[in-house]
Amino acid sequence: MATNIKRIGVLTGGGDCAGLNAVIRAVVRSAVGEHQIEVFGIEDGFLGLIEDRVHPLTVADTADIMTRGGTILGTTNRVSPRQFVTGYDADGTPQFIDVTDRVLTHIKQHQLDGLVAIGGDGTMSECARLAGHGVRCVGVPKTIDNDIMHTDVTFGFQTAVEIATEALDRIHTTAASHHRVMIVETMGRHAGWLALHAGIASGADVILLPEIPYDFEVIRRSCEERAKVGKSFTIMAVAEGAHPRGGEVIVDTLIAESPDPVRLGGVSTVIAQQINELSHLECRNTILGHVQRGGAPCAFDRVLATTLGHAAVDLVIAGQWNHMVAVQEGMITSAGIADVAGQQRTVPTDGPRIAAARAVGTCMGDSFERRW
Ligand code: F6P
């Protein structure tokens, strides 16, 4: 298809995940190879557009990056052009200014006809906002949380599931040896896809998700009843966003300068303390943290990332700006970025995964039922 697009920019925004480099590779090779469009790489997400760190990205630059974790472009989830930190008050409160004009100037100076923005909800929200200033973006959804609206899956998720599943499998043997309750805490702030999939894959006895507020008494009873019927250990997969019924999430850090300031972590520590204090069982917890985002992408994510990167260039060529590539019911489709921004795709509590988990005897933290 003939196109008047001569040059595009590509950036990675938000928290990293496995597969980002595979998308960058596919974008560059599809744009250059199929359409003779030049690609410029933007360093550290929107920060690179603010600070004018924008450079040509060639096919040669994308050699040998498919299997590499992280992003060769760098990323940040602390910066929005609308809310750029210029300094701090005496009490440490950040001072912000809007530097959107710098972004627009640098896009113009580098003659970028549009951007491919690889990121999560924050990145899509920024693209939706910049669209109001005439910036043309195509989005590619990424997050290990798998919670972006209007796509059934995001790359990075499956790799994180594999990592969390391996951790749970390893915890299994030490739990059995010591006759302990062992908790593995995964990432997943608003959505529990990662804890649910890794929990099912590893046969966890208890899975706790943000979508199903838990009752500690149900968890305690579930662990104790297992002990009573001769199961000497219990494995729990817990999303960082899990919280008790009527209670709050556990906040680990507040990053004042970030447009998305809340970082969670530690719910497994709280539950482990409660089990140690309120039952006769012994409990330990492991918080997996950023190990879930690092390292080489699994084969599924390499294929998905390559397909989405190529599909993003197709949207550029079709002039379908301000859309995000997506996977819906097995097909590569797209969704309006404005419809994606500011939303989360949570686990449906009446969906087949949770039904299957309950059917095989997993306690979901809301009710206890001894099936056998
Ligand atoms: O949104 C992806 C995610 O990995 C969340 O699961 C997690 O809560 C958050 O990012 C951590 O962000 P940071 O890299 O700032 O610690």
Side-chain angles (χ1 to χ4, degrees):
M1 190 190 286
T3 176
N4 56 1
I5 305 294
K6 301 263 180 292
R7 185 182 292 171
I8 55 172
V10 60
L11 63 81
T12 49
D16 71 344
C17 72
L20 285 165
N21 287 326
V23 180
I24 295 167
R25 175 178 177 269
V27 167
V28 171
R29 292 177 178 217
S30 305
V32 174
E34 287 193 316
H35 307 286
Q36 295 76 51
I37 295 174
E38 277 183 297
V39 182
F40 275 39
I42 298 159
E43 293 176 18
D44 295 336
F46 290 103
L47 186 59
L49 279 175
I50 296 168
E51 296 178 342
D52 195 19
R53 290 188 279 121
V54 180
H55 312 285
L57 196 58
T58 66
V59 169
D61 294 329
T62 65
D64 294 330
I65 65 168
M66 165 83 101
T67 58
R68 218 190 290 170
T71 158
I72 59 165
L73 293 174
T75 187
T76 178
N77 54 3
R78 288 171 172 243
V79 174
S80 159
R82 171 182 53 89
Q83 191 181 311
F84 187 64
V85 179
T86 52
Y88 295 86
D89 290 341
D91 66 355
T93 310
Q95 297 159 338
F96 297 112
I97 58 165
D98 186 333
V99 292
T100 304
D101 55 337
R102 290 190 210 168
V103 168
L104 303 180
T105 301
H106 294 141
I107 289 175
K108 202 168 169 196
Q109 268 172 8
H110 291 287
Q111 299 173 355
L112 303 179
D113 296 316
L115 303 178
V116 172
I118 311 164
D121 171 46
T123 304
M124 297 309 143
S125 297
E126 193 54 51
C127 290
R129 194 184 71 83
L130 288 174
H133 293 271
V135 178
R136 306 193 297 184
C137 295
V138 162
V140 182
K142 84 59 261 201
T143 168
I144 66 165
D145 294 357
N146 200 34
D147 63 350
I148 298 186
M149 275 308 262
H150 301 301
T151 185
D152 296 342
V153 65
T154 55
F155 70 87
F157 169 65
Q158 192 57 41
T159 303
V161 170
E162 306 289 340
I163 294 166
T165 302
E166 191 194 342
L168 280 153
D169 288 349
R170 287 179 180 276
I171 286 292
H172 219 107
T173 57
T174 171
S177 305
H178 285 270
H179 318 298
R180 284 172 171 161
V181 177
M182 296 292 273
I183 312 177
V184 172
E185 179 175 322
T186 69
M187 283 188 168
R189 270 187 285 189
H190 309 287
W193 294 103
L194 180 49
L196 179 62
H197 281 231
I200 291 174
S202 59
D205 308 298
V206 180
I207 301 177
L208 304 180
L209 313 177
E211 293 85 349
I212 305 178
Y214 67 81
D215 176 345
F216 174 74
E217 280 312 306
V218 167
I219 298 171
R220 186 177 62 81
R221 191 159 165 230
S222 170
C223 299
E224 287 181 346
E225 291 284 336
R226 279 178 55 79
K228 272 189 208 156
V229 297
K231 314 260 187 187
S232 74
F233 66 94
T234 297
I235 305 289
M236 295 176 52
V238 177
E240 64 183 357
H243 53 90
R245 202 177 286 156
E248 297 297 323
V249 290
I250 304 294
V251 174
D252 175 69
T253 321
L254 280 174
I255 305 170
E257 62 268 38
S258 172
D260 177 20
V262 179
R263 297 294 178 275
L264 303 184
V267 63
S268 62
T269 309
V270 172
I271 297 171
Q273 270 167 4
Q274 287 179 304
I275 291 173
N276 284 324
E277 284 166 18
L278 302 172
S279 80
H280 63 277
L281 302 167
E282 192 183 21
C283 185
R284 298 285 188 274
N285 69 303
T286 301
I287 301 176
L288 291 183
H290 294 81
V291 71
Q292 297 161 103
R293 299 212 315 229
C298 66
F300 178 90
D301 278 336
R302 294 178 203 184
V303 175
L304 180 61
T306 302
T307 309
L308 292 179
H310 174 248
V313 174
D314 281 350
L315 288 194
V316 167
I317 297 303
Q320 226 179 312
W321 297 106
N322 307 320
H323 278 69
M324 180 192 82
V325 290
V327 180
Q328 290 165 349
E329 295 175 6
M331 306 294 285
I332 302 298
T333 58
S334 68
I337 283 180
D339 299 330
V340 172
Q343 299 196 56
Q344 268 92 35
R345 191 180 70 94
T346 54
V347 179
T349 52
D350 57 355
R353 300 278 187 277
I354 289 180
R358 291 192 198 276
V360 297
T362 313
C363 170
M364 299 301 300
D366 55 342
S367 62
F368 175 75
E369 188 186 340
R370 197 161 82 210
R371 289 185 166 238
W372 41 78

